[in-house]
Amino acid sequence: MNKTLRSLLLCASLGALPFAAAQAAEGQTLRLATEGAYPPFNYYTADGQLAGFDIEIGKALCARMQVECSLVAQDWDGIIPALLARKYDVIIASMFITEERRQKVAFSDPYQKSAMTFVVPKDSELEDFSPAAMAGKTIGAQGATTQADYLMAMFPDADVRLYPTQDAVNLDLVSGRLDAQVGDMIPMLDWTRKSTDGSCCRLAGAPISDPKYVGEGVGMALRKEDEQLRLALNQALASIIADGTYQAINDKFFSVNLLTLEQ
C-alpha cells in the first residue's frame, strides 16, 4: 500500500476532511481503475484520454479527499482479479453491487441506482420477453456481467451470445445478428437516443430490476481489508452529493438523475 493511501486511511479513521493534503503533495497516488469501453460512463477520447461519468466522479472524489489520483484502464473480465492483485486501489466502472461480487470485494455506498433493459431493433415485433417467448431467439450481452448472468439463468432455450465489450454487442444488434440484447438501462438509453448507430434501436419491455441481478445499485469496489478507504470514499461521496457537485456531473452526461433513475 502506498504512503498516500496509508495516510488517507489514517485520516479517514479520525473522521477528517481534508484527508491527506500533505501526503498528496509528496506525489503518491490513489489508483482508480475503470474499463474505458463503456460510454458514456467510461471511454477513451479521440486523443486517448479516459473520460466519462465514472471518471469525473472519481476525480471529484479525489479532489474532495485532497489526494492525487491516477487512472488505470483494465479489461472488464479481469477487473476484479487485478484489484485483488493490488494493481490498483479502487474500481470505479459502473459495477453493480451483487452478493456474488461481495464474496470477493467490498463496495462503497451506491453512486448510481441500477436497472437493466432489453434493446431491440425499432422494427422488431418482439413484445413478450418471457423465457418461453424468447426460446430460439438470439440475445446478446457483454460477458462477465450481471446482464450475462441474467440471460444465462433466465433464457436456457435462447441462443445467448456473449461479447468482450458493450460496443461489440451493439454492433451485432445494429448488424442484424441479434434479435435483442440486454444492457444496463442508462447506457442503453443514451445509446439509442444520442448516437447515430443506436438510432436503429429502442428499449423494450419493463425495466429489469431483480436485485439478484442488479443488486443494490452501482458502487466502487475495493479490497475487503481497506475498510478505512471505503469509509473515506463514502464520506467524500456524501459530500459531493450534498453540495451539488454530483448533480452537475450527472447533468453533463444524462437527462436522468442516476441516483433515482427519474427524469
Side-chain angles (χ1 to χ4, degrees):
M1 185 181 297
N2 63 48
K3 289 187 290 183
T4 296
L5 184 51
R6 283 198 299 269
S7 300
L8 169 61
L9 302 188
L10 175 61
C11 291
S13 69
L14 299 174
L17 263 177
F19 292 106
Q23 289 75 18
E26 297 176 3
Q28 301 296 325
T29 59
L30 182 66
R31 299 165 298 170
L32 305 181
T34 197
E35 184 186 13
Y38 200 54
F41 290 95
N42 54 80
Y43 58 90
Y44 282 100
T45 62
D47 61 355
Q49 300 299 308
L50 283 166
F53 175 79
D54 288 328
I55 308 306
E56 295 208 16
I57 291 294
K59 289 179 178 179
L61 294 173
C62 289
R64 192 55 46 91
M65 296 157 71
Q66 294 196 1
V67 295
E68 294 293 330
C69 288
S70 66
L71 296 170
V72 180
Q74 169 66 51
D75 290 345
W76 182 260
D77 59 1
I79 204 163
I80 287 179
L83 172 71
L84 299 179
R86 313 191 75 82
K87 293 184 178 179
Y88 35 77
D89 306 304
V90 180
I91 296 170
I92 182 163
S94 292
M95 181 176 284
F96 288 174
I97 303 169
T98 65
E99 284 305 313
E100 180 179 0
R101 288 175 177 150
R102 280 189 186 279
Q103 301 303 310
K104 299 177 181 179
V105 298
F107 281 98
S108 69
D109 291 341
Y111 69 100
Q112 302 173 38
K113 195 172 181 179
S114 53
M116 302 186 299
T117 184
F118 277 96
V119 184
V120 300
K122 281 186 174 177
D123 61 358
S124 173
E125 297 181 359
L126 284 174
E127 295 182 358
D128 183 351
F129 294 92
S130 66
M134 296 300 287
K137 301 296 185 184
T138 303
I139 318 173
Q142 183 178 1
T145 63
T146 50
Q147 293 94 318
D149 293 343
Y150 173 75
L151 289 181
M152 297 299 290
M154 297 297 295
F155 299 91
D157 297 322
D159 177 9
V160 174
R161 300 182 184 181
L162 303 181
Y163 298 79
T165 67
Q166 185 60 52
D167 283 345
V169 189
N170 295 347
L171 178 61
D172 263 16
L173 186 62
V174 171
S175 301
R177 290 187 284 269
L178 295 173
D179 295 308
Q181 68 155 299
V182 169
D184 187 3
M185 177 175 285
I186 299 301
M188 293 298 95
L189 188 65
D190 190 76
W191 179 62
T192 55
R193 290 185 176 182
K194 296 182 180 180
S195 70
T196 300
D197 57 345
S199 64
C200 68
C201 303
R202 60 181 173 84
L203 275 58
I208 303 164
S209 56
D210 185 339
K212 180 178 180 181
Y213 299 102
V214 302
E216 306 162 25
V218 170
M220 292 166 276
L222 56 160
R223 292 178 290 274
K224 289 185 177 182
E225 62 266 29
D226 291 341
E227 174 63 9
Q228 294 303 327
L229 174 57
R230 189 183 71 84
L231 296 175
L233 288 168
N234 286 346
Q235 188 177 2
L237 177 61
S239 178
I240 68 168
I241 291 172
D243 73 0
T245 300
Y246 179 100
Q247 189 64 52
I249 296 170
N250 185 113
D251 292 348
K252 287 179 64 175
F253 294 94
F254 308 105
S255 60
V256 174
N257 185 317
L258 296 194
L259 292 174
T260 64
L261 294 186
E262 296 176 354
Q263 299 196 43

